[in-house]
mmCIF file of all heavy atoms in Angstrom:
data_model
loop_
_atom_site.group_PDB
_atom_site.id
_atom_site.type_symbol
_atom_site.label_atom_id
_atom_site.label_comp_id
_atom_site.label_asym_id
_atom_site.label_seq_id
_atom_site.Cartn_x
_atom_site.Cartn_y
_atom_site.Cartn_z
ATOM 1 N N THR A 1371 53.145 -66.095 35.299
ATOM 2 C CA THR A 1371 53.161 -64.869 36.085
ATOM 3 C C THR A 1371 51.876 -64.091 35.808
ATOM 4 O O THR A 1371 51.671 -63.600 34.701
ATOM 5 C CB THR A 1371 54.385 -64.002 35.715
ATOM 6 O OG1 THR A 1371 55.544 -64.823 35.720
ATOM 7 C CG2 THR A 1371 54.549 -62.861 36.687
ATOM 8 N N LYS A 1372 51.015 -63.971 36.822
ATOM 9 C CA LYS A 1372 49.703 -63.348 36.622
ATOM 10 C C LYS A 1372 49.727 -61.827 36.757
ATOM 11 O O LYS A 1372 48.870 -61.142 36.239
ATOM 12 C CB LYS A 1372 48.699 -63.920 37.626
ATOM 13 C CG LYS A 1372 48.390 -65.382 37.382
ATOM 14 C CD LYS A 1372 47.274 -65.843 38.295
ATOM 15 C CE LYS A 1372 46.982 -67.310 38.135
ATOM 16 N NZ LYS A 1372 46.438 -67.724 36.898
ATOM 17 N N ASP A 1373 50.698 -61.272 37.445
ATOM 18 C CA ASP A 1373 50.650 -59.844 37.785
ATOM 19 C C ASP A 1373 51.429 -58.941 36.824
ATOM 20 O O ASP A 1373 51.730 -57.813 37.160
ATOM 21 C CB ASP A 1373 51.141 -59.635 39.216
ATOM 22 C CG ASP A 1373 52.581 -60.103 39.408
ATOM 23 O OD1 ASP A 1373 53.100 -60.818 38.531
ATOM 24 O OD2 ASP A 1373 53.189 -59.747 40.428
ATOM 25 N N ILE A 1374 51.697 -59.401 35.635
ATOM 26 C CA ILE A 1374 52.420 -58.585 34.663
ATOM 27 C C ILE A 1374 51.411 -57.737 33.884
ATOM 28 O O ILE A 1374 50.453 -58.257 33.323
ATOM 29 C CB ILE A 1374 53.219 -59.465 33.674
ATOM 30 C CG1 ILE A 1374 54.273 -60.275 34.420
ATOM 31 C CG2 ILE A 1374 53.854 -58.603 32.595
ATOM 32 C CD1 ILE A 1374 55.003 -61.276 33.550
ATOM 33 N N ALA A 1375 51.645 -56.432 33.875
ATOM 34 C CA ALA A 1375 50.760 -55.525 33.137
ATOM 35 C C ALA A 1375 51.283 -55.346 31.709
ATOM 36 O O ALA A 1375 52.492 -55.342 31.473
ATOM 37 C CB ALA A 1375 50.699 -54.171 33.842
ATOM 38 N N LEU A 1376 50.361 -55.177 30.782
ATOM 39 C CA LEU A 1376 50.749 -54.899 29.401
ATOM 40 C C LEU A 1376 51.292 -53.478 29.302
ATOM 41 O O LEU A 1376 50.931 -52.611 30.104
ATOM 42 C CB LEU A 1376 49.542 -55.053 28.477
ATOM 43 C CG LEU A 1376 48.985 -56.462 28.326
ATOM 44 C CD1 LEU A 1376 47.715 -56.422 27.475
ATOM 45 C CD2 LEU A 1376 49.994 -57.397 27.707
ATOM 46 N N PRO A 1377 52.123 -53.209 28.316
ATOM 47 C CA PRO A 1377 52.649 -51.848 28.128
ATOM 48 C C PRO A 1377 51.516 -50.850 27.879
ATOM 49 O O PRO A 1377 50.573 -51.145 27.140
ATOM 50 C CB PRO A 1377 53.550 -51.956 26.903
ATOM 51 C CG PRO A 1377 53.760 -53.407 26.677
ATOM 52 C CD PRO A 1377 52.628 -54.136 27.311
ATOM 53 N N SER A 1378 51.629 -49.679 28.465
ATOM 54 C CA SER A 1378 50.590 -48.653 28.287
ATOM 55 C C SER A 1378 50.454 -48.245 26.821
ATOM 56 O O SER A 1378 49.354 -47.903 26.366
ATOM 57 C CB SER A 1378 50.915 -47.430 29.143
ATOM 58 O OG SER A 1378 52.175 -46.887 28.773
ATOM 59 N N LEU A 1379 51.541 -48.313 26.064
ATOM 60 C CA LEU A 1379 51.472 -47.918 24.658
ATOM 61 C C LEU A 1379 50.621 -48.878 23.823
ATOM 62 O O LEU A 1379 50.136 -48.504 22.763
ATOM 63 C CB LEU A 1379 52.876 -47.783 24.072
ATOM 64 C CG LEU A 1379 53.655 -46.573 24.587
ATOM 65 C CD1 LEU A 1379 55.078 -46.570 24.057
ATOM 66 C CD2 LEU A 1379 52.953 -45.276 24.233
ATOM 67 N N PHE A 1380 50.426 -50.109 24.296
ATOM 68 C CA PHE A 1380 49.532 -51.031 23.600
ATOM 69 C C PHE A 1380 48.104 -50.477 23.613
ATOM 70 O O PHE A 1380 47.362 -50.622 22.658
ATOM 71 C CB PHE A 1380 49.558 -52.422 24.232
ATOM 72 C CG PHE A 1380 50.685 -53.305 23.769
ATOM 73 C CD1 PHE A 1380 51.798 -52.800 23.103
ATOM 74 C CD2 PHE A 1380 50.637 -54.665 24.000
ATOM 75 C CE1 PHE A 1380 52.831 -53.628 22.677
ATOM 76 C CE2 PHE A 1380 51.661 -55.506 23.575
ATOM 77 C CZ PHE A 1380 52.753 -54.990 22.915
ATOM 78 N N TYR A 1381 47.726 -49.836 24.709
ATOM 79 C CA TYR A 1381 46.371 -49.280 24.812
ATOM 80 C C TYR A 1381 46.233 -48.028 23.942
ATOM 81 O O TYR A 1381 45.193 -47.817 23.327
ATOM 82 C CB TYR A 1381 46.028 -48.991 26.271
ATOM 83 C CG TYR A 1381 46.015 -50.251 27.104
ATOM 84 C CD1 TYR A 1381 47.081 -50.572 27.933
ATOM 85 C CD2 TYR A 1381 44.952 -51.147 27.023
ATOM 86 C CE1 TYR A 1381 47.086 -51.748 28.674
ATOM 87 C CE2 TYR A 1381 44.947 -52.327 27.757
ATOM 88 C CZ TYR A 1381 46.021 -52.617 28.580
ATOM 89 O OH TYR A 1381 46.014 -53.788 29.298
ATOM 90 N N VAL A 1382 47.286 -47.217 23.890
ATOM 91 C CA VAL A 1382 47.271 -46.033 23.021
ATOM 92 C C VAL A 1382 47.151 -46.479 21.564
ATOM 93 O O VAL A 1382 46.348 -45.933 20.793
ATOM 94 C CB VAL A 1382 48.542 -45.169 23.233
ATOM 95 C CG1 VAL A 1382 48.576 -44.007 22.242
ATOM 96 C CG2 VAL A 1382 48.623 -44.671 24.674
ATOM 97 N N SER A 1383 47.928 -47.484 21.187
ATOM 98 C CA SER A 1383 47.873 -47.970 19.801
ATOM 99 C C SER A 1383 46.513 -48.570 19.481
ATOM 100 O O SER A 1383 46.067 -48.516 18.330
ATOM 101 C CB SER A 1383 49.002 -48.966 19.529
ATOM 102 O OG SER A 1383 48.846 -50.144 20.291
ATOM 103 N N THR A 1384 45.839 -49.114 20.486
ATOM 104 C CA THR A 1384 44.487 -49.652 20.274
ATOM 105 C C THR A 1384 43.548 -48.532 19.839
ATOM 106 O O THR A 1384 42.759 -48.695 18.892
ATOM 107 C CB THR A 1384 43.962 -50.326 21.558
ATOM 108 O OG1 THR A 1384 44.852 -51.378 21.914
ATOM 109 C CG2 THR A 1384 42.566 -50.890 21.355
ATOM 110 N N GLY A 1385 43.640 -47.390 20.501
ATOM 111 C CA GLY A 1385 42.826 -46.239 20.105
ATOM 112 C C GLY A 1385 43.106 -45.817 18.676
ATOM 113 O O GLY A 1385 42.182 -45.501 17.912
ATOM 114 N N LEU A 1386 44.392 -45.844 18.301
ATOM 115 C CA LEU A 1386 44.761 -45.430 16.942
ATOM 116 C C LEU A 1386 44.214 -46.378 15.879
ATOM 117 O O LEU A 1386 43.766 -45.928 14.816
ATOM 118 C CB LEU A 1386 46.280 -45.317 16.810
ATOM 119 C CG LEU A 1386 46.937 -44.171 17.562
ATOM 120 C CD1 LEU A 1386 48.434 -44.170 17.311
ATOM 121 C CD2 LEU A 1386 46.331 -42.839 17.185
ATOM 122 N N ILE A 1387 44.247 -47.664 16.160
ATOM 123 C CA ILE A 1387 43.762 -48.600 15.133
ATOM 124 C C ILE A 1387 42.244 -48.508 14.998
ATOM 125 O O ILE A 1387 41.692 -48.687 13.904
ATOM 126 C CB ILE A 1387 44.260 -50.050 15.356
ATOM 127 C CG1 ILE A 1387 44.251 -50.806 14.018
ATOM 128 C CG2 ILE A 1387 43.450 -50.771 16.407
ATOM 129 C CD1 ILE A 1387 45.087 -52.050 13.977
ATOM 130 N N ILE A 1388 41.565 -48.168 16.091
ATOM 131 C CA ILE A 1388 40.112 -47.949 16.013
ATOM 132 C C ILE A 1388 39.827 -46.706 15.167
ATOM 133 O O ILE A 1388 38.958 -46.724 14.293
ATOM 134 C CB ILE A 1388 39.505 -47.836 17.423
ATOM 135 C CG1 ILE A 1388 39.563 -49.199 18.132
ATOM 136 C CG2 ILE A 1388 38.062 -47.321 17.354
ATOM 137 C CD1 ILE A 1388 39.242 -49.152 19.611
ATOM 138 N N ILE A 1389 40.560 -45.628 15.411
ATOM 139 C CA ILE A 1389 40.383 -44.401 14.625
ATOM 140 C C ILE A 1389 40.704 -44.658 13.151
ATOM 141 O O ILE A 1389 40.019 -44.158 12.250
ATOM 142 C CB ILE A 1389 41.241 -43.255 15.196
ATOM 143 C CG1 ILE A 1389 40.738 -42.866 16.589
ATOM 144 C CG2 ILE A 1389 41.220 -42.039 14.271
ATOM 145 C CD1 ILE A 1389 41.696 -41.971 17.358
ATOM 146 N N SER A 1390 41.739 -45.478 12.895
ATOM 147 C CA SER A 1390 42.114 -45.758 11.508
ATOM 148 C C SER A 1390 41.013 -46.532 10.777
ATOM 149 O O SER A 1390 40.841 -46.375 9.562
ATOM 150 C CB SER A 1390 43.449 -46.507 11.438
ATOM 151 O OG SER A 1390 43.306 -47.860 11.840
ATOM 152 N N SER A 1391 40.274 -47.360 11.492
ATOM 153 C CA SER A 1391 39.134 -48.042 10.870
ATOM 154 C C SER A 1391 38.079 -47.026 10.460
ATOM 155 O O SER A 1391 37.470 -47.140 9.390
ATOM 156 C CB SER A 1391 38.516 -49.057 11.837
ATOM 157 O OG SER A 1391 38.977 -50.347 11.566
ATOM 158 N N LEU A 1392 37.889 -46.028 11.306
ATOM 159 C CA LEU A 1392 36.925 -44.971 10.983
ATOM 160 C C LEU A 1392 37.377 -44.183 9.749
ATOM 161 O O LEU A 1392 36.566 -43.909 8.853
ATOM 162 C CB LEU A 1392 36.752 -44.032 12.177
ATOM 163 C CG LEU A 1392 35.846 -42.834 11.940
ATOM 164 C CD1 LEU A 1392 34.421 -43.272 11.634
ATOM 165 C CD2 LEU A 1392 35.877 -41.904 13.141
ATOM 166 N N THR A 1393 38.662 -43.845 9.663
ATOM 167 C CA THR A 1393 39.133 -43.078 8.505
ATOM 168 C C THR A 1393 39.033 -43.897 7.222
ATOM 169 O O THR A 1393 38.718 -43.344 6.155
ATOM 170 C CB THR A 1393 40.567 -42.544 8.703
ATOM 171 O OG1 THR A 1393 41.461 -43.642 8.962
ATOM 172 C CG2 THR A 1393 40.628 -41.541 9.849
ATOM 173 N N TYR A 1394 39.274 -45.206 7.294
ATOM 174 C CA TYR A 1394 39.134 -46.060 6.106
ATOM 175 C C TYR A 1394 37.664 -46.105 5.673
ATOM 176 O O TYR A 1394 37.333 -46.006 4.485
ATOM 177 C CB TYR A 1394 39.646 -47.472 6.396
ATOM 178 C CG TYR A 1394 40.357 -48.147 5.245
ATOM 179 C CD1 TYR A 1394 41.476 -48.940 5.479
ATOM 180 C CD2 TYR A 1394 39.916 -48.036 3.932
ATOM 181 C CE1 TYR A 1394 42.129 -49.580 4.442
ATOM 182 C CE2 TYR A 1394 40.563 -48.684 2.880
ATOM 183 C CZ TYR A 1394 41.668 -49.452 3.150
ATOM 184 O OH TYR A 1394 42.316 -50.092 2.118
ATOM 185 N N PHE A 1395 36.771 -46.240 6.660
ATOM 186 C CA PHE A 1395 35.337 -46.236 6.381
ATOM 187 C C PHE A 1395 34.926 -44.925 5.704
ATOM 188 O O PHE A 1395 34.173 -44.920 4.724
ATOM 189 C CB PHE A 1395 34.559 -46.437 7.693
ATOM 190 C CG PHE A 1395 33.085 -46.202 7.570
ATOM 191 C CD1 PHE A 1395 32.256 -47.166 7.029
ATOM 192 C CD2 PHE A 1395 32.520 -45.004 8.007
ATOM 193 C CE1 PHE A 1395 30.883 -46.944 6.905
ATOM 194 C CE2 PHE A 1395 31.159 -44.770 7.896
ATOM 195 C CZ PHE A 1395 30.338 -45.744 7.349
ATOM 196 N N LEU A 1396 35.432 -43.814 6.228
ATOM 197 C CA LEU A 1396 35.106 -42.504 5.657
ATOM 198 C C LEU A 1396 35.666 -42.350 4.240
ATOM 199 O O LEU A 1396 35.053 -41.700 3.388
ATOM 200 C CB LEU A 1396 35.600 -41.391 6.570
ATOM 201 C CG LEU A 1396 34.866 -41.280 7.916
ATOM 202 C CD1 LEU A 1396 35.563 -40.269 8.825
ATOM 203 C CD2 LEU A 1396 33.395 -40.947 7.728
ATOM 204 N N ALA A 1397 36.827 -42.968 3.987
ATOM 205 C CA ALA A 1397 37.401 -42.939 2.632
ATOM 206 C C ALA A 1397 36.472 -43.653 1.655
ATOM 207 O O ALA A 1397 36.235 -43.180 0.538
ATOM 208 C CB ALA A 1397 38.780 -43.588 2.632
ATOM 209 N N LYS A 1398 35.938 -44.783 2.079
ATOM 210 C CA LYS A 1398 35.020 -45.516 1.202
ATOM 211 C C LYS A 1398 33.746 -44.706 0.973
ATOM 212 O O LYS A 1398 33.257 -44.612 -0.158
ATOM 213 C CB LYS A 1398 34.682 -46.880 1.805
ATOM 214 C CG LYS A 1398 33.740 -47.698 0.945
ATOM 215 C CD LYS A 1398 33.562 -49.062 1.554
ATOM 216 C CE LYS A 1398 32.209 -49.617 1.257
ATOM 217 N NZ LYS A 1398 31.944 -50.858 1.983
ATOM 218 N N LYS A 1399 33.209 -44.113 2.044
ATOM 219 C CA LYS A 1399 31.994 -43.297 1.902
ATOM 220 C C LYS A 1399 32.239 -42.115 0.955
ATOM 221 O O LYS A 1399 31.385 -41.781 0.138
ATOM 222 C CB LYS A 1399 31.511 -42.798 3.265
ATOM 223 C CG LYS A 1399 30.882 -43.873 4.113
ATOM 224 C CD LYS A 1399 29.647 -44.403 3.444
ATOM 225 C CE LYS A 1399 29.075 -45.592 4.146
ATOM 226 N NZ LYS A 1399 28.149 -46.361 3.335
ATOM 227 N N ALA A 1400 33.408 -41.488 1.076
ATOM 228 C CA ALA A 1400 33.737 -40.367 0.185
ATOM 229 C C ALA A 1400 33.837 -40.842 -1.266
ATOM 230 O O ALA A 1400 33.395 -40.152 -2.192
ATOM 231 C CB ALA A 1400 35.043 -39.705 0.632
ATOM 232 N N THR A 1401 34.395 -42.020 -1.474
ATOM 233 C CA THR A 1401 34.495 -42.584 -2.824
ATOM 234 C C THR A 1401 33.112 -42.859 -3.393
ATOM 235 O O THR A 1401 32.855 -42.588 -4.568
ATOM 236 C CB THR A 1401 35.345 -43.872 -2.808
ATOM 237 O OG1 THR A 1401 36.655 -43.547 -2.357
ATOM 238 C CG2 THR A 1401 35.426 -44.505 -4.188
ATOM 239 N N GLN A 1402 32.230 -43.382 -2.567
ATOM 240 C CA GLN A 1402 30.877 -43.701 -3.027
ATOM 241 C C GLN A 1402 30.103 -42.450 -3.440
ATOM 242 O O GLN A 1402 29.135 -42.551 -4.185
ATOM 243 C CB GLN A 1402 30.112 -44.456 -1.940
ATOM 244 C CG GLN A 1402 30.648 -45.858 -1.728
ATOM 245 C CD GLN A 1402 30.013 -46.544 -0.533
ATOM 246 O OE1 GLN A 1402 29.779 -45.939 0.501
ATOM 247 N NE2 GLN A 1402 29.747 -47.832 -0.686
ATOM 248 N N THR A 1403 30.517 -41.292 -2.946
ATOM 249 C CA THR A 1403 29.847 -40.030 -3.317
ATOM 250 C C THR A 1403 30.726 -39.192 -4.251
ATOM 251 O O THR A 1403 30.500 -37.992 -4.401
ATOM 252 C CB THR A 1403 29.475 -39.222 -2.055
ATOM 253 O OG1 THR A 1403 30.646 -38.991 -1.276
ATOM 254 C CG2 THR A 1403 28.437 -39.947 -1.220
ATOM 255 N N ASN A 1404 31.738 -39.847 -4.842
ATOM 256 C CA ASN A 1404 32.649 -39.207 -5.801
ATOM 257 C C ASN A 1404 33.402 -38.000 -5.239
ATOM 258 O O ASN A 1404 33.707 -37.058 -5.979
ATOM 259 C CB ASN A 1404 31.913 -38.831 -7.091
ATOM 260 C CG ASN A 1404 31.697 -40.038 -7.976
ATOM 261 O OD1 ASN A 1404 32.553 -40.920 -8.059
ATOM 262 N ND2 ASN A 1404 30.553 -40.091 -8.614
ATOM 263 N N LYS A 1405 33.708 -38.023 -3.955
ATOM 264 C CA LYS A 1405 34.538 -36.981 -3.334
ATOM 265 C C LYS A 1405 35.965 -37.520 -3.273
ATOM 266 O O LYS A 1405 36.444 -37.940 -2.224
ATOM 267 C CB LYS A 1405 34.000 -36.620 -1.956
ATOM 268 C CG LYS A 1405 32.613 -36.010 -2.020
ATOM 269 C CD LYS A 1405 32.071 -35.737 -0.648
ATOM 270 C CE LYS A 1405 30.659 -35.176 -0.757
ATOM 271 N NZ LYS A 1405 29.950 -35.249 0.518
ATOM 272 N N LYS A 1406 36.616 -37.532 -4.421
ATOM 273 C CA LYS A 1406 37.914 -38.197 -4.568
ATOM 274 C C LYS A 1406 38.997 -37.589 -3.683
ATOM 275 O O LYS A 1406 39.786 -38.303 -3.079
ATOM 276 C CB LYS A 1406 38.339 -38.196 -6.031
ATOM 277 C CG LYS A 1406 37.422 -39.039 -6.887
ATOM 278 C CD LYS A 1406 37.843 -39.073 -8.322
ATOM 279 C CE LYS A 1406 36.782 -39.805 -9.103
ATOM 280 N NZ LYS A 1406 37.268 -40.688 -10.081
ATOM 281 N N GLN A 1407 39.052 -36.276 -3.614
ATOM 282 C CA GLN A 1407 40.087 -35.631 -2.809
ATOM 283 C C GLN A 1407 39.903 -35.968 -1.326
ATOM 284 O O GLN A 1407 40.870 -36.262 -0.628
ATOM 285 C CB GLN A 1407 40.070 -34.122 -3.023
ATOM 286 C CG GLN A 1407 41.228 -33.418 -2.335
ATOM 287 C CD GLN A 1407 41.265 -31.930 -2.662
ATOM 288 O OE1 GLN A 1407 40.313 -31.374 -3.198
ATOM 289 N NE2 GLN A 1407 42.370 -31.299 -2.320
ATOM 290 N N LEU A 1408 38.669 -35.948 -0.863
ATOM 291 C CA LEU A 1408 38.388 -36.292 0.525
ATOM 292 C C LEU A 1408 38.742 -37.754 0.803
ATOM 293 O O LEU A 1408 39.328 -38.079 1.838
ATOM 294 C CB LEU A 1408 36.917 -36.019 0.841
ATOM 295 C CG LEU A 1408 36.488 -36.154 2.294
ATOM 296 C CD1 LEU A 1408 37.280 -35.215 3.203
ATOM 297 C CD2 LEU A 1408 34.989 -35.894 2.420
ATOM 298 N N ALA A 1409 38.420 -38.626 -0.145
ATOM 299 C CA ALA A 1409 38.765 -40.047 -0.004
ATOM 300 C C ALA A 1409 40.274 -40.218 0.105
ATOM 301 O O ALA A 1409 40.760 -41.001 0.946
ATOM 302 C CB ALA A 1409 38.215 -40.846 -1.183
ATOM 303 N N THR A 1410 41.022 -39.492 -0.697
ATOM 304 C CA THR A 1410 42.488 -39.573 -0.648
ATOM 305 C C THR A 1410 43.007 -39.109 0.707
ATOM 306 O O THR A 1410 43.900 -39.744 1.288
ATOM 307 C CB THR A 1410 43.110 -38.725 -1.777
ATOM 308 O OG1 THR A 1410 42.612 -39.206 -3.037
ATOM 309 C CG2 THR A 1410 44.624 -38.810 -1.766
ATOM 310 N N ILE A 1411 42.442 -38.031 1.232
ATOM 311 C CA ILE A 1411 42.865 -37.520 2.543
ATOM 312 C C ILE A 1411 42.607 -38.575 3.627
ATOM 313 O O ILE A 1411 43.471 -38.829 4.471
ATOM 314 C CB ILE A 1411 42.150 -36.190 2.869
ATOM 315 C CG1 ILE A 1411 42.673 -35.082 1.954
ATOM 316 C CG2 ILE A 1411 42.314 -35.807 4.346
ATOM 317 C CD1 ILE A 1411 41.852 -33.809 1.976
ATOM 318 N N PHE A 1412 41.433 -39.202 3.590
ATOM 319 C CA PHE A 1412 41.123 -40.231 4.587
ATOM 320 C C PHE A 1412 42.026 -41.458 4.434
ATOM 321 O O PHE A 1412 42.432 -42.067 5.433
ATOM 322 C CB PHE A 1412 39.648 -40.627 4.520
ATOM 323 C CG PHE A 1412 38.724 -39.629 5.162
ATOM 324 C CD1 PHE A 1412 37.620 -39.154 4.474
ATOM 325 C CD2 PHE A 1412 38.944 -39.163 6.448
ATOM 326 C CE1 PHE A 1412 36.753 -38.236 5.055
ATOM 327 C CE2 PHE A 1412 38.090 -38.248 7.045
ATOM 328 C CZ PHE A 1412 36.987 -37.778 6.352
ATOM 329 N N LEU A 1413 42.358 -41.832 3.203
ATOM 330 C CA LEU A 1413 43.274 -42.957 2.999
ATOM 331 C C LEU A 1413 44.665 -42.626 3.532
ATOM 332 O O LEU A 1413 45.316 -43.475 4.160
ATOM 333 C CB LEU A 1413 43.335 -43.341 1.521
ATOM 334 C CG LEU A 1413 42.093 -44.044 0.958
ATOM 335 C CD1 LEU A 1413 42.201 -44.178 -0.551
ATOM 336 C CD2 LEU A 1413 41.889 -45.403 1.617
ATOM 337 N N LEU A 1414 45.131 -41.411 3.278
ATOM 338 C CA LEU A 1414 46.437 -40.992 3.813
ATOM 339 C C LEU A 1414 46.417 -40.984 5.338
ATOM 340 O O LEU A 1414 47.391 -41.399 5.980
ATOM 341 C CB LEU A 1414 46.819 -39.613 3.277
ATOM 342 C CG LEU A 1414 47.269 -39.569 1.819
ATOM 343 C CD1 LEU A 1414 47.363 -38.130 1.322
ATOM 344 C CD2 LEU A 1414 48.603 -40.294 1.646
ATOM 345 N N ALA A 1415 45.317 -40.519 5.923
ATOM 346 C CA ALA A 1415 45.193 -40.526 7.394
ATOM 347 C C ALA A 1415 45.243 -41.953 7.923
ATOM 348 O O ALA A 1415 45.902 -42.221 8.939
ATOM 349 C CB ALA A 1415 43.894 -39.837 7.810
ATOM 350 N N THR A 1416 44.585 -42.865 7.221
ATOM 351 C CA THR A 1416 44.605 -44.277 7.629
ATOM 352 C C THR A 1416 46.031 -44.816 7.579
ATOM 353 O O THR A 1416 46.468 -45.537 8.491
ATOM 354 C CB THR A 1416 43.683 -45.115 6.724
ATOM 355 O OG1 THR A 1416 42.385 -44.538 6.713
ATOM 356 C CG2 THR A 1416 43.600 -46.555 7.200
#
């Protein structure tokens, strides 16, 4: 069946997983600069 559309929520979740990659990246950057509290916040956001 070629005309079946994917659920719209799959696209919303795609945006979230992209944002979560950014927050994980920011957590690592914060750790590299010894900003532990900021790193924890970004990890929790992820």
